[in-house]
Amino acid sequence: MTNWFMSYMPLQASAHSAEIDHMTILVHWLMLIMFVGWAAFFVFVLLRFRKGANPTASYAGAKGKFAKGTEVVVALIEVVLLIGYAIPAWATRVKPMPADPQAVIVRVVAHQFAWEIQYPGPDGKFGRTDPKLLSSDNLLGLDKDDPNAKDDIVTSNQLNLPVNRPVLVHLSSQDVIHSFGLYEMRIKQDAVPGLDIPLWFIPTVTTDQMRQKVGKPDFEYEIACSQLCGLGHFRMRGFVTVQSEADFKKWFDDQEKEQHPAPVATAPPAANP
Ligand SMILES: [Cu+2]
């Protein structure tokens, strides 16, 4: 059943996705057993207490201990799933990211209906953003006069990440509640206006490797907004490109050159003859 179940799931592409899937499969097993069990019990009750066999209603109720016993067993299994699997998986995700100077730190800001991505640049500091600076060509509201913003890289709906390095995302929203869903990474987190919510994961499969796995040369990891956030919710899609370290560095350097071209050196004034 595990293989059958997994064939309906997005492929795993982050370090913790197998753990999440393991728990999801256990929960589905429990639900399947309960569905069959309760359905059989329901049919049994329909037959056992049919009008023909019980012409006069009994107001005392059934005396059997079976139903109560089953409820206790189901509750116990749920406690085991919660304490043994769900809480530990949640605790790892909300723990601070493993200290790693090589981690990629990025801001993701949701708005109706797109994802704005901000990389801090080589100085490691995010430039200031301000809602007053929002405009059609500055969808992040970045304060370009802030010294920390001078080397920041800003993209729309495109998040590039290196493979096998922890990624720390600072997630926020400019307007309503959105939800940052990366299905192959088994990541989903609400983006809430006024809050900076950290989340982290380690991508383990590059986009190129995933294209080969799924046999689709145009496959892309998608950032799907997972909260109904307005009329344009259906088109609120971003993309994640997971790259080798060298490809990521090249992409980053190209963005730096494109977004922050070095000031053109002006020729010194010609000396008067
Ligand atoms: Cu949204």
Side-chain angles (χ1 to χ4, degrees), residues 42-51 53-54:
F42 178 62
V43 172
F44 166 76
V45 166
L46 286 180
L47 295 174
R48 172 72 179 76
F49 300 105
R50 67 190 185 280
K51 194 182 172 191
N54 307 273

Side-chain angles (χ1 to χ4, degrees), residues 85-186:
Y85 294 91
I87 292 178
W90 168 81
T92 334
R93 295 266 64 75
V94 298
K95 254 197 327 216
M97 185 176 66
D100 184 346
Q102 286 302 302
V104 181
I105 301 175
V106 64
R107 276 185 77 206
V108 174
V109 181
H111 64 88
Q112 290 173 320
F113 297 98
W115 303 94
E116 305 305 322
I117 320 283
Q118 182 184 13
Y119 294 85
D123 69 354
K125 290 181 189 146
F126 289 109
R128 195 179 76 88
T129 55
D130 187 337
K132 290 194 198 87
L133 299 170
L134 288 173
S135 66
S136 58
D137 58 358
N138 186 2
L139 291 168
L140 188 66
L142 185 65
D143 178 359
K144 289 176 182 155
D145 295 330
D146 178 14
N148 292 337
K150 294 278 185 253
D151 60 349
D152 283 16
I153 297 214
V154 176
T155 62
S156 265
N157 290 327
Q158 177 59 48
L159 174 61
N160 283 55
L161 298 174
V163 71
N164 292 328
R165 264 169 65 182
V167 182
L168 175 63
V169 175
H170 287 278
L171 185 65
S172 59
S173 166
Q174 289 172 353
D175 37 41
V176 299
I177 297 177
H178 301 268
S179 183
F180 182 69
L182 301 180
Y183 294 102
E184 289 83 1
M185 312 292 169
R186 303 296 189 269

